[in-house]
Amino acid sequence: MRAADYINPGEIGFRTDATRPAPQRGEVLVAVKACGICGSDLHMYRDDSYREKLVRKTSEGYEVPGHEFSGTIAELGEGVENWTIGQRVVGVTGMGGGMADFVTVPDNPFQLVAIPDDVTWDEAATTEPLADGLQMVRKAAVREGENVVVFGVGIIGLGVIQALRARGIKAGNVIAVDVHAARLEKALAIGATHVVNARDGDVFEAVAAICGTEEGYPGKSARVSVVFDCAGYIKHMKGPPPLETALRLIDLSGGRIVCFGGYEGAMTIDMGPLIEKQPIIMGSNGYASEELVEALDLMRKGTVDRTTLISHRAPIEQVAEAFEIQASPEAVKVILTF
């Protein structure tokens, strides 16, 4: 069996001798057709973050990443009755394994869902990150006219913008913040009203110039009701962490900050605005099972175009090069193909 093998930060190999897994009771075996490289995979690739949660070991000791993929059911474990061999599915694993010819997946609606006929393998491999965006938008409960800021517009942040538009939410300004021009251009193409490149200057001032400011907190506050932090904390990031900027931006009444981006270790931020402004800060991890189905239905109907977010494709044999591409400024989403 072909498989990726995560070895150390910056080092990922390709194997052809991995043992094909066997489904246990309540599991199915999926023959993988496409698998995305996730932002969390990149955190691991940079400094080993979340390694214990992102790889699945083979009997040879290879550590196989990959948790967002599409494929066909190749084998049914004992007790599985509601799937058939050859059925097209999206799989989401909790412990990697998807960057291989075969991977086992529990038979439950949070990790296995059927792919509609009109959705391609590559599109389907982006189902999980879109469902993540749908959950974040649900949690934030964005109201008509509210200004929104999205920090980090990789596949997750772009999915938040697509989710806002797909659900017909008439937000005010939708501002994308990132350091990569290609991703900011994509954000505008799919529905952001403005973009801010954090390399160009103070993010607070740039957003305040778009949304206006209000007094009542020392140093002024921007008129932003909702911030989605899809960037988290990356150790080489310059300037304050996005969460600190979010606390400065958020307005003085009823602001919500949704945190999704991963954290590469501890960070220091000024929490003063948390007390003065009393915003709600909430984490978001994953999705409701029905949001996997909703994500696929939005693709089927053409309400969202996920193919436009796939910037690169590479065969599994080129997994090392694919990770390097995903870590580059020009990449949005890299899909491994089988």
Side-chain angles (χ1 to χ4, degrees):
M1 181 181 78
R2 297 174 300 169
D5 178 22
Y6 176 74
I7 301 166
N8 287 304
E11 186 179 4
I12 188 165
F14 168 70
R15 309 292 181 183
T16 59
D17 61 343
T19 298
R20 168 174 164 163
Q24 302 301 304
R25 180 177 179 82
E27 293 182 334
V28 304
L29 182 72
V30 174
V32 179
K33 298 295 185 182
C35 183
I37 300 177
C38 179
S40 56
D41 293 324
L42 277 189
H43 283 295
M44 178 180 68
Y45 187 64
R46 279 191 289 262
D47 70 353
D48 250 9
S49 295
Y50 310 110
R51 181 173 186 163
E52 70 281 0
K53 298 179 180 179
L54 293 173
V55 297
R56 186 181 300 189
K57 288 190 177 182
T58 69
S59 58
E60 295 81 12
Y62 304 148
E63 297 189 15
V64 185
H67 56 271
E68 46 186 52
F69 52 89
S70 60
T72 60
I73 292 180
E75 190 177 339
L76 303 177
E78 184 182 353
V80 176
E81 298 177 349
N82 55 330
W83 298 99
T84 59
I85 303 298
Q87 195 166 357
R88 302 171 75 238
V89 292
V90 164
V92 185
T93 68
M95 284 290 290
M99 294 182 189
D101 283 322
F102 296 93
V103 59
T104 56
V105 185
D107 175 22
N108 70 61
F110 288 94
Q111 295 181 276
L112 198 66
V113 61
I115 302 173
D117 290 340
D118 295 334
V119 177
T120 68
W121 298 122
D122 290 359
E123 288 177 291
T126 74
T127 301
E128 189 259 357
L130 179 55
D132 293 336
L134 290 165
Q135 168 160 288
M136 281 186 271
V137 168
R138 169 172 52 82
K139 284 191 166 189
V142 180
R143 295 184 283 270
E144 183 173 349
E146 289 188 319
N147 293 324
V148 173
V149 172
V150 182
F151 278 98
V153 283
I155 191 71
I156 297 293
L158 292 169
V160 168
I161 296 170
Q162 287 187 321
L164 281 166
R165 298 312 187 194
R167 285 182 169 169
I169 298 169
K170 295 180 173 61
N173 297 302
V174 177
I175 305 167
V177 181
D178 207 296
V179 296
H180 299 311
R183 295 178 182 182
L184 292 171
E185 290 173 8
K186 189 62 66 177
L188 284 173
I190 65 169
T193 60
H194 302 78
V195 296
V196 172
N197 192 318
R199 296 187 191 276
D200 293 342
D202 185 273
V203 172
F204 176 89
E205 294 299 334
V207 173
I210 297 166
C211 299
T213 59
E214 59 182 350
E215 301 300 327
Y217 175 76
K220 72 186 175 182
S221 178
R223 295 184 182 277
V224 173
S225 298
V226 177
V227 176
F228 296 97
D229 179 7
C230 302
Y233 173 64
I234 301 171
K235 289 181 179 179
H236 65 259
M237 183 186 293
K238 294 182 179 179
L243 181 56
E244 180 172 314
T245 305
L247 286 168
R248 291 183 61 207
L249 287 170
I250 206 75
D251 62 26
L252 300 176
S253 176
R256 288 92 72 204
I257 301 171
V258 183
C259 298
F260 183 92
Y263 292 82
E264 294 181 358
M267 64 183 187
T268 301
I269 67 172
D270 176 8
M271 297 292 285
L274 177 64
I275 306 304
E276 298 290 339
K277 298 182 179 183
Q278 305 179 75
I280 296 171
I281 301 178
M282 64 189 95
S284 187
N285 181 20
Y287 45 82
S289 60
E290 58 267 26
E291 282 158 343
L292 283 176
V293 177
E294 180 184 0
L296 284 161
D297 193 50
L298 291 172
M299 295 181 218
R300 179 188 63 80
K301 293 186 295 188
T303 307
V304 300
D305 180 5
R306 299 294 281 176
T307 59
T308 189
L309 307 186
I310 300 171
S311 58
H312 300 78
R313 294 172 175 83
I316 184 60
E317 290 84 355
Q318 297 174 13
V319 63
E321 295 90 337
F323 267 75
E324 286 297 307
I325 293 169
Q326 185 66 77
S328 68
E330 66 270 15
V332 177
K333 186 66 169 182
V334 178
I335 295 289
L336 293 166
T337 58
F338 293 77

